[in-house]
Amino acid sequence: MTVKLSLATLDQAKATAAIPAYDPKTLSHGIVHFGVGNFHRAHQAIYLDDLFNTGKGHDWAITGAGVMPSDAAMREKLKAQDFLTTVVEQDNNKTGARVTAPMIDIIAPGETAALIEKLADPTTRIVSMTITEGGYFIDAAGHFNPAHPAMVEDGKSPTAPKTVFGLILAGLKVRRERGLAPFTIMSCDNIPGNGHVTENTVVGLAKMSDPDFAMWIHDNVAFPNSMVDRITPATGQREIDILKNDFNIDDNWPVFCEEFKQWVMEDNFPLGRPALEEVGVQFVPDVAPYELMKLRILNGGHATIAYPGELLDIHFVHEAMEHPLIRAFLAKLEKEEIIPIVPPVPDTSLDAYFDLIEHRFLNPKIGDTIPRLAQDGSNRQPKFILPSTRDRLDQGLDIVGLSLVSALWCRYFAGTSDSGRKIVFNDTSAEKLQAAAIKAKDDPDAFLVFDEIFGEVSGNELFRKRFAHALKTLWTEGTAKTLELYLADELVK
């Protein structure tokens, strides 16, 4: 018998899944979270659920905050099941399901007054966000971009905010007017120095309408940096059906993820925080080494396998890793060009970390997809690949493999795989990138004109040479042969 997930059916769900050891009805609000997607529910919400299961921290429940149209659909799906989520954790050798309950409400998009009031509520001590790498209104150098149309609009109309950052400012302003201490703002996105980047955007937007308020934020609001990690694919009918068939639970939008998870964070929470160190979160003086390791080796690894996977018509990540040329490409690039320039990380072997990454990428159960890894490259390339390219060039080192990654991305944006299959893009800059990629078949420099993506790297003579040769080889020889040449150290002109 299939159980339709809700608070009323929790006892029935425990036949096939772990359920909360606490009564969700006893939780009280402490955190507003923007971006209630799969990653949040597989990561931050899981750590809180773990803590609540120990009997501690029950005044740190989550209230979700809707901004985008997709948030409205998520709210309806979760509200129908009392904001419960089934999380299926999958490793190569085992699979387990658990029902989590740390979320008590989601404020719908458009309910601006209610959301600002919740942000101003004294019980709101942390405002967190997972809004993707592209949601911070920054340029290739990580600086706030005040010319972005969304920022221009919120800057002109601070009392009618439309963006996450405009809403946060409105909430902070009310707290300031009421004499309340500001909440801590905690980014949980894959951005180098995510706390600093968040502060720059919040303060930068405030300056556009109220410089004094911006200075108050700079002086009084905490923005801890953090590193987050858990591979979490998108949910589709496949996942919903697996949960029904294997666990007899009907969940409107379950989350499937790997077993591994990691969260490293700076301890900078003036109004307090949950005791997350008791459930595996690492609090450290400096997140930067952990963050750089993850962004360069794991996220850079994802970007490395995504585009040859697409060009060779491979759908799942584990299938790409089973392709001998792609797996060897990843290993050679990581060991020869990426890992050697990653600074040391306390109590961590970078080689062992990469071995773990390979194991995680090979996990067939979570069904992570190459199209997911390939999406949003205009925001991901400047954060995951090009910084390694820039650092190696600055040190006078070659970038044969890294320039090949950029060339593969360009070839992907020409719009067809090696077999002629049409590629479906998911990138806000797709139209201009595709136009440039098509031109680049004859003029490689045409793809390097985007300063917001390539920055100073595009002006480097060695990079342009390596990129042009790799791209030409991809067009004339195909992806597989190009990888073979790289692996044989023959992709050098």
Side-chain angles (χ1 to χ4, degrees):
M1 178 181 174
T2 300
V3 175
K4 181 63 178 174
L5 186 62
S6 71
L7 286 175
T9 61
L10 263 183
D11 279 344
Q12 298 173 52
K14 71 180 180 182
T16 56
I19 65 171
Y22 55 92
D23 181 355
K25 295 177 182 177
T26 66
L27 299 179
S28 59
H29 165 80
I31 299 171
V32 169
H33 183 81
F34 289 93
V36 182
N38 279 16
F39 182 78
H40 166 71
R41 293 185 295 148
H43 193 264
Q44 180 183 344
I46 284 286
Y47 280 104
L48 286 167
D49 190 64
D50 285 341
L51 181 64
F52 296 168
N53 278 331
T54 70
K56 298 180 181 179
H58 288 187
D59 59 338
W60 287 103
I62 302 164
T63 297
V67 177
M68 307 297 290
S70 58
D71 295 331
M74 179 67 78
R75 180 181 187 272
E76 291 307 306
K77 291 177 185 297
L78 294 182
K79 182 181 179 182
Q81 55 196 44
D82 301 316
F83 301 104
L84 301 175
T85 289
T86 310
V87 178
V88 180
E89 300 175 335
Q90 300 181 302
D91 200 1
N92 291 326
N93 300 315
K94 61 180 178 178
T95 298
R98 60 187 288 185
V99 176
T100 65
M103 182 170 293
I104 56 176
D105 194 9
I106 298 178
I107 298 173
E111 295 183 6
T112 304
L115 177 51
I116 292 173
E117 191 58 38
K118 179 59 72 172
L119 290 166
D121 189 322
T123 62
T124 298
R125 287 150 286 165
I126 294 174
V127 172
S128 56
M129 62 186 79
T130 45
I131 55 176
T132 78
E133 298 85 0
Y136 286 79
F137 307 103
I138 55 177
D139 59 23
H143 300 140
F144 172 62
N145 177 15
H148 191 285
M151 293 293 91
V152 171
E153 184 175 352
D154 268 9
K156 289 180 178 178
S157 306
T159 59
K162 301 289 179 58
T163 68
V164 169
F165 297 101
L167 289 161
I168 286 173
L169 286 177
L172 283 172
K173 182 160 281 190
V174 174
R175 291 178 80 102
R176 185 190 187 200
E177 292 169 351
R178 295 177 182 176
L180 297 172
F183 42 69
T184 295
I185 301 177
M186 180 176 71
S187 169
C188 299
D189 281 301
N190 284 315
I191 299 177
N194 57 10
H196 298 314
V197 169
T198 305
E199 179 178 9
N200 290 341
T201 300
V202 172
V203 172
L205 178 58
K207 282 182 180 178
M208 295 171 68
S209 61
D210 190 339
D212 290 338
F213 182 42
M215 183 58 67
W216 178 84
I217 294 170
H218 178 269
D219 292 341
N220 293 280
V221 180
F223 296 85
N225 290 300
S226 67
M227 183 270 268
V228 297
D229 190 7
R230 191 171 217 183
I231 296 174
T232 308
T235 296
Q237 195 59 46
R238 169 185 178 270
E239 287 71 28
I240 294 171
D241 290 343
I242 288 174
L243 188 64
K244 286 181 182 178
N245 295 332
D246 294 356
F247 297 94
N248 297 322
I249 295 175
D250 183 0
D251 185 318
N252 291 328
W253 211 248
V255 176
F256 280 56
C257 58
E258 64 177 336
E259 185 178 36
F260 177 89
K261 66 182 185 298
Q262 187 177 20
W263 197 359
V264 184
M265 192 160 29
E266 294 171 356
D267 200 351
N268 183 14
F269 295 83
L271 294 186
R273 60 167 176 79
L276 294 169
E277 70 275 12
E278 297 188 16
V279 289
V281 176
Q282 296 171 262
F283 286 94
V284 299
D286 184 12
V287 168
Y290 300 88
E291 182 180 65
L292 193 65
M293 172 185 72
K294 191 254 178 174
L295 292 171
R296 300 287 180 92
I297 299 176
L298 185 145
N299 297 110
H302 269 161
T304 298
I305 66 175
Y307 302 108
E310 278 277 24
L311 292 170
L312 294 174
D313 299 322
I314 298 172
H315 183 70
F316 287 108
V317 172
H318 69 273
E319 293 173 340
M321 287 296 290
E322 290 166 357
H323 192 292
L325 292 176
I326 294 179
R327 185 170 181 179
F329 172 43
L330 174 66
K332 180 178 173 66
L333 177 68
E334 293 271 15
K335 293 176 181 179
E336 294 185 2
E337 296 189 24
I338 297 177
I339 292 174
I341 59 166
V342 174
V345 180
D347 303 317
T348 302
S349 162
L350 297 180
D351 289 330
Y353 182 75
F354 174 65
D355 290 342
L356 174 63
I357 296 304
E358 279 196 309
H359 173 79
R360 294 167 64 191
F361 287 5
L362 280 161
N363 185 345
K365 290 187 176 180
I366 60 172
D368 201 7
T369 67
I370 290 296
R372 184 187 81 87
L373 302 192
Q375 70 184 19
D376 202 28
S378 61
N379 284 303
R380 294 179 177 183
Q381 289 280 315
K383 298 175 181 69
F384 304 153
I385 291 296
L386 291 165
S388 292
T389 305
R390 183 188 62 240
D391 286 356
R392 286 188 66 85
L393 291 170
D394 287 347
Q395 296 175 36
L397 301 172
D398 212 337
I399 36 78
V400 178
L402 287 163
S403 61
L404 174 55
V405 175
S406 295
L408 284 160
W409 183 47
C410 176
R411 170 65 186 84
Y412 156 88
F413 257 111
T416 57
S417 69
D418 284 8
S419 72
R421 174 184 60 89
K422 184 178 179 181
I423 293 173
V424 178
F425 305 124
N426 186 353
D427 193 304
T428 55
S429 300
E431 185 175 349
K432 67 178 183 180
L433 286 169
Q434 184 172 17
I438 292 170
K439 290 181 182 178
K441 182 176 181 180
D442 298 314
D443 176 17
D445 285 348
F447 196 72
L448 304 180
V449 299
F450 304 109
D451 287 341
E452 71 275 17
I453 295 173
F454 291 97
E456 62 191 48
V457 169
S458 64
N460 183 278
E461 183 178 347
L462 179 61
F463 173 73
R464 292 169 67 178
K465 177 182 176 181
R466 294 281 186 254
F467 173 83
H469 181 62
L471 184 61
K472 179 181 178 181
T473 307
L474 286 166
W475 277 113
T476 58
E477 303 292 340
T479 301
K481 180 62 176 179
T482 302
L483 294 180
E484 289 177 2
L485 291 169
Y486 169 71
L487 293 170
D489 291 323
E490 295 177 3
L491 189 66
V492 179
K493 182 178 181 182

